Amino acid sequence: QRATCVRNASETCPMALRFCSFNVLAPSARICAPLNRRPWQERHAAICDCLLQLEADVICLQEFDFAAGTHGFAVLYQKKLGEVYELHMKQRTGDKNEGLAMLIRRSAFKDIEVLCEELEPDFCDRVAMYAKLTHVDSGCRILVANTHLTVAHADNSHDIPFCRPRQMEQVLHRLLAAQCCDAVFLCADINSDHLEREPSGPYPPEMVNRPVTMAFEQGFASALHARHPGVRPISHTCSYAQDGCADYVLFRGHSGLQLHEAFLHPNDLPLDVPWSSSTGWGDDAQATLSDHRPLVVDFSIAAAHNKL
């Protein structure tokens, strides 16, 4: 059930705003079991169908494939989603075969401006996307970012202490420098989990999770964790955290922005269900579309005189 904004007992205004953030696991990447037994065309067609059913207004995808060996990948997404969404894409730099995509619901926004940025340090080949949008129903101006940070490799001396914080610093700088916005949102695969308490090699968890706490220090909140404070959600499997990690929709706004719900799809699976190499996220094949679970967040937003 999507959120609505209620003005009074007899009048409801459709000021709902739904986000979905999802790492779709690029076919050109190393595909783990059981996903390696499913053709990429079939899996990503099912992802597109799932995204349509989730009815998000803004969809941020990570590991969107650009490889020559997966010819037709973007065409598939455009064909299945293009009537409803405006598709924007950004490939990582260097020789990387994947990157980011942002899908913006055509009927929900106007005055759409999309900017892409190559993040430092350049040897990490990481990128970010930013969309400044006017929400048609509320008239609010919002800024949405999408990024995928470097993996928290514990076997080198630069990724955890330097590269990852530097990447987040740049993204936050652009979000915080935005003028005349009613709300800002960051959809991200940060490759860490601020609830992790185990060290990663020689690095304490506080250092591994530094990019997330940097956002918290700037007034952002995690929608999933705000709605489920007593649970440690797991939205993707990984080899560098004890039980997996969480993806993030981080938000910051004025009093007219209200968080209503946040969940991992499928909603009937527990938030902390572990990944299985034999069944993925569960026995139903449609629950395992990637090694991540789609993160869906519902807000309502109303115009306010005080901009960020």
Side-chain angles (χ1 to χ4, degrees), residues 77-203:
Y77 277 77
Q78 181 64 44
K79 181 178 179 180
K80 293 185 76 70
L81 301 174
E83 184 176 341
V84 179
Y85 294 97
E86 189 174 298
L87 173 62
H88 299 266
M89 302 172 288
K90 174 60 178 176
Q91 186 174 358
R92 291 174 62 189
T93 53
D95 59 353
K96 303 301 182 182
N97 288 322
E98 43 85 16
L100 305 172
M102 191 178 288
L103 294 131
I104 301 167
R105 182 176 291 275
R106 297 180 184 277
S107 62
F109 301 100
K110 63 181 181 178
D111 306 324
I112 298 170
E113 304 172 29
V114 178
L115 171 72
C116 298
E117 180 179 27
E118 297 176 0
L119 299 178
E120 299 174 357
D122 56 7
F123 62 79
C124 290
D125 298 310
R126 294 289 172 174
V127 296
M129 301 182 72
Y130 307 91
K132 187 173 281 190
L133 315 165
T134 299
H135 186 231
V136 171
D137 289 332
S138 67
C140 291
R141 193 71 169 155
I142 67 171
L143 178 60
V144 185
N146 178 23
T147 196
H148 183 187
L149 299 191
T150 291
V151 172
H153 296 113
D155 57 355
N156 65 48
S157 62
H158 52 266
D159 282 343
I160 291 175
F162 170 66
C163 298
R164 289 164 43 78
R166 176 63 184 133
Q167 291 160 14
M168 180 58 88
E169 179 184 34
Q170 294 164 85
V171 174
L172 290 174
H173 174 76
R174 190 170 291 276
L175 292 178
L176 295 171
Q179 300 294 316
C180 300
C181 284
D182 294 282
V184 293
F185 304 88
L186 172 54
C187 301
D189 178 354
I190 301 180
N191 272 315
S192 63
D193 185 336
H194 72 280
L195 296 181
E196 178 61 72
R197 296 294 178 261
E198 296 294 326
S200 183
Y203 297 103

